[in-house]
Amino acid sequence: QCKYLKGCALNIGNKYNPKAEEILIDAAKMNPTMFEIWNELGDCIWKKGDKKGARNCFERALNQQRNKVSLRNLSIVMRQQQSVTNEEIEESVKISKEAVSLDVTDGTSWYILGNAYLAQFFLCGQASNVLKLSLNAYSKASADEKSFVGPRLPLQQGHSFQIFG
């Protein structure tokens, strides 16, 4: 538990910290069933640019317990791959929906779902109903005052409204 907390503290921020990765790997070896460790390690490895390694960590976390953080991060990582297939985009949407189903009041999960729908719109045929789903998800994300989804939410909503007309 102590190594996990130290790894979390070192992993704060947007830059990759190799010491955080080292400590989190040790923590995962000591307690491989603690999904929070796998989430933090995945986040750390993701900062390094290793999307495949991050995906593996999030999947390992989900093997321990289905949780919204792993699902959200897995959805994003899936959409950030070099060449994303329509099937992977659809799986990303499905995973994002599951994250929302675990906590329907969580604005961050709604925001990630909105982004997944927007990716589906652009990469899988530009169906107007998918764009409506994106707008609906962004609307629900903005209704959550506790979650901070950042300044991108109004931008994403604006893009969707502009496209939708």
Side-chain angles (χ1 to χ4, degrees):
Q1 186 81 7
C2 186
K3 282 191 180 260
Y4 164 65
L5 295 174
K6 185 174 181 181
C8 287
L10 291 172
N11 194 41
I12 291 175
N14 294 326
K15 291 188 178 180
Y16 168 70
N17 183 328
K19 188 68 176 168
E21 180 181 6
E22 178 186 324
I23 291 170
L24 289 166
I25 287 171
D26 286 345
K29 288 177 183 175
M30 292 171 62
N31 193 352
T33 61
M34 189 173 163
F35 74 89
E36 295 92 345
I37 295 173
W38 291 109
N39 281 338
E40 196 69 31
L41 180 58
D43 181 64
C44 181
I45 290 172
W46 194 359
K47 291 174 186 175
K48 182 170 72 171
D50 182 0
K51 294 176 183 114
K52 185 177 180 181
R55 180 177 178 161
N56 182 49
C57 287
F58 300 135
E59 288 172 343
R60 288 188 76 165
L62 290 168
N63 286 337
Q64 301 308 316
Q65 181 176 326
R66 302 305 280 185
N67 68 90
K68 65 184 180 182
V69 174
S70 300
L71 291 163
R72 291 189 312 226
N73 289 337
L74 181 58
S75 174
I76 296 168
V77 166
M78 289 177 73
R79 287 181 271 122
Q80 289 182 344
Q81 296 178 73
Q82 288 289 340
S83 55
V84 182
T85 65
N86 287 0
E87 292 78 22
E88 288 169 320
I89 293 293
E90 289 170 12
E91 182 66 17
S92 172
V93 169
K94 179 181 171 188
I95 289 168
S96 295
K97 285 180 180 179
E98 184 180 349
V100 167
S101 75
L102 293 176
D103 182 359
V104 296
T105 65
D106 179 47
T108 303
S109 294
W110 281 108
Y111 176 70
I112 301 302
L113 178 58
N115 289 345
Y117 279 134
L118 199 56
Q120 184 180 30
F121 172 78
F122 282 113
L123 299 173
C124 302
Q126 299 190 357
S128 63
N129 66 316
V130 174
L131 193 56
K132 286 179 188 177
L133 291 169
S134 175
L135 286 167
N136 184 47
Y138 289 142
S139 175
K140 291 186 180 191
S142 65
D144 180 11
E145 295 176 3
K146 291 180 271 179
S147 290
F148 177 75
V149 292
R152 292 187 177 156
L153 177 59
L155 180 64
Q156 299 293 65
Q157 282 179 304
H159 283 235
S160 297
F161 277 123
Q162 187 177 29
I163 295 163
F164 195 64

